[in-house]
Amino acid sequence: MYGTFLGCSSLTIAPEIPDTVINMDDTFHGCTNLINPPKIPNGVIEMDDTFHGCENLKEIKLSKNIKIIGSSAFDGCDSLISITLPGSLTAIKDHAFANCDAIVTFSEGEFIKIIDGFIINVKEGTLISFAVRTTLLESTWPFTVVVLSTLSF
């Protein structure tokens, strides 16, 4: 589905995506009026630029199999206020949530914990990322962290 609805600014409700889809890179990039996102198929494990520029998207629940929130996946989603991070998450790449100033809630999925602004996969013992809109002054590292993912900070 690479780039299927790229720049489709009149799209407000995403169509149902078949469970056979494994790549959603750039699928809704630039769909500025998208309000209702699709259910993300379980075969999709990484998302790059998928919802980049979806200015009216308010919330999204990622599939339980997403491992990587890729570069600029939600960049420019000005209205995004809530996102649920799945327990399968192992990395959040650069600019994934750039210009998402409205985010209020990062919901913790199974195995995902947010401690002092750090997003941690406690099952894998991996520090995934430093949470958006958080200022680090001082922190005690949780004993469960054994690996720092690339671009964690």
Side-chain angles (χ1 to χ4, degrees):
M1 290 205 58
Y2 178 85
T4 305
F5 300 101
L6 182 67
C8 197
S9 61
S10 62
L11 185 68
T12 57
I13 300 172
E16 187 174 327
I17 308 294
D19 282 335
T20 54
V21 170
I22 59 171
N23 183 335
M24 288 186 62
D25 293 352
D26 282 307
T27 301
F28 297 100
H29 186 155
C31 294
T32 55
N33 290 305
L34 182 67
I35 298 168
N36 293 336
K39 175 185 173 280
I40 308 295
N42 286 332
V44 176
I45 60 170
E46 181 174 356
M47 301 169 55
D48 284 324
D49 284 307
T50 305
F51 295 99
H52 188 160
C54 292
E55 300 169 0
N56 290 296
L57 187 65
K58 293 190 183 330
E59 63 182 302
I60 191 160
K61 184 176 180 184
L62 300 175
S63 101
K64 64 180 180 178
N65 294 331
I66 294 285
K67 292 181 185 272
I68 300 170
I69 298 175
S71 299
S72 300
F74 296 95
D75 187 352
C77 292
D78 302 347
S79 300
L80 186 64
I81 58 172
S82 177
I83 186 162
T84 300
L85 303 174
S88 56
L89 192 65
T90 59
I92 297 175
K93 291 191 175 178
D94 57 319
H95 307 290
F97 297 101
N99 304 303
C100 292
D101 297 331
I103 291 182
V104 175
T105 307
F106 276 103
S107 299
E108 301 174 350
E110 184 181 18
F111 306 122
I112 299 296
K113 296 293 173 207
I114 301 172
I115 302 170
D116 292 338
F118 294 100
I119 300 172
I120 300 165
N121 183 315
V122 293
K123 181 180 180 187
E124 303 290 328
T126 305
L127 175 65
I128 298 168
S129 187
F130 188 61
V132 176
R133 301 183 63 191
T134 306
T135 304
L136 177 65
L137 299 176
E138 181 179 324
S139 181
T140 303
W141 289 72
F143 67 91
T144 53
V145 175
V146 292
V147 177
L148 296 179
S149 298
T150 305
L151 299 171
S152 290
F153 296 96

